[in-house]
Amino acid sequence: MKNKVRIIVPVLLVVLLSALGAFYWFKLSQDRFAAPRKDAPTVQFRVAKENTLMAVTGNLHYYGFVKDEEALKYALQHTKDNTPGKEGAIKIGNNTIDTETAYTISQAMSAWEITRILLNEGTPSVSDCDHGCPSSNPFTPEILPGGDIAPTWQERMRAKYSWVKTFDDCVAAIGHDGGQVTSEENFKQTGHPRVCNTTDGRYFVQGKEGWSDTPLYP
């Protein structure tokens, strides 16, 4: 009896450890496909005409939309593609991702969800460089590396010129980034106090404290 116990206990331990190892491996493998964030806004991800599969999966990983680039490639190969690829589509196995197309995705989506959208959903988004080429950032609104939404131009200017508190500060800040101030001649002609407009969209009146975010005079 003792001999049987001596044999059974190690066997049970091996089985238990194997089961725990298998469970851990399964959980770890599934985590590769999980959403990077619990809550995140949707954005537009544009796949350009010249993009390759490496560019698409690399961008989604670099900007924090998938945890594992290889897991995304696996999902792209093993998810059903219900739409025929258009001319110039990116091929991955038997599936395709349309180029010159925008896709609505979020960092709160799993790799499987993003894959379903890339393979089956999207809005045509043809680039027109006749009026200036779009930003190289493939996301709208613009996304920073790692996944945070980039501040708008006005937010960047407001941070840069946060030191501007008065009319005189505003005049001193006028330069490369823009800004303007009404002239003395205009003051003499209209009787309106001189107004300085900062690059970040604030208006300061000479002789008055504070500022407004709307034009003071037509």
Side-chain angles (χ1 to χ4, degrees), residues 3-13:
N3 289 335
K4 288 184 178 180
V5 171
R6 289 176 182 175
I7 295 173
I8 292 173
V9 170
V11 170
L12 289 176
L13 286 174

Side-chain angles (χ1 to χ4, degrees), residues 181-188 192 194-195:
V181 61
T182 54
S183 65
E184 288 283 359
E185 289 74 14
N186 181 269
F187 165 65
K188 292 177 181 178
H192 292 156
R194 296 180 69 195
V195 177

